[in-house]
Amino acid sequence: MICLYLEKNPAVKAKLIQEIDEVIPNETDISSDNLKKLHYTQAVINETGRMYGPGTAIFSRHVVKDNASKEVQVKTGTLVNLSFIPNNYNPTFYVNPHEFNPDRWLN
């Protein structure tokens, strides 16, 4: 997904390449210390995860007793999946949530 977002956002791609070229100018400079300096790269990874998370059915649970609210009744044994993806697009938590913006992760 990172490649897709980079192709859709050429300015982000250019900034990412520039950071990598500055921090790791050649293959022999790859080290854990240098990787820690790739702040914008980490922001791109974080933003990709926010936009397209790892999965929605990670938090599956079986209901152990009947539950009901005004709108929904859930019977014992029903498999319920909790999705946190809608929070990632909630304007309460993120300004312009549908915009791919790695800068939101930088201080």
Side-chain angles (χ1 to χ4, degrees):
M1 289 311 297
I2 289 176
C3 293
L4 173 67
Y5 287 119
L6 291 176
E7 287 304 312
K8 287 183 158 187
N9 299 277
V12 171
K13 182 179 178 181
K15 190 172 178 179
L16 177 73
I17 291 169
Q18 179 182 356
E19 178 186 64
I20 292 169
D21 287 345
E22 288 174 2
V23 175
I24 305 172
N26 61 61
E27 293 175 7
T28 60
D29 291 328
I30 297 174
S31 67
S32 59
D33 288 335
N34 281 343
L35 293 176
K36 291 175 189 174
K37 296 175 187 174
L38 296 173
H39 303 290
Y40 192 73
T41 303
Q42 186 60 53
V44 169
I45 293 167
N46 290 347
E47 185 68 350
T48 302
R50 182 191 71 81
M51 298 283 295
Y52 194 84
T56 59
I58 294 173
F59 300 100
S60 300
R61 298 292 184 262
H62 283 97
V63 176
V64 294
K65 70 177 190 175
D66 290 352
N67 289 276
S69 69
K70 291 181 182 178
E71 298 86 21
V72 179
Q73 291 185 348
V74 184
K75 299 287 185 187
T76 301
T78 302
L79 183 65
V80 178
N81 292 317
L82 303 175
S83 175
F84 295 100
I85 295 296
N87 289 333
N88 295 346
Y89 290 92
N90 187 329
T92 302
F93 304 119
Y94 299 99
V95 175
N96 300 319
H98 294 280
E99 175 186 328
F100 185 76
N101 179 14
D103 290 327
R104 75 175 82 239
W105 298 96
L106 301 174
N107 295 332

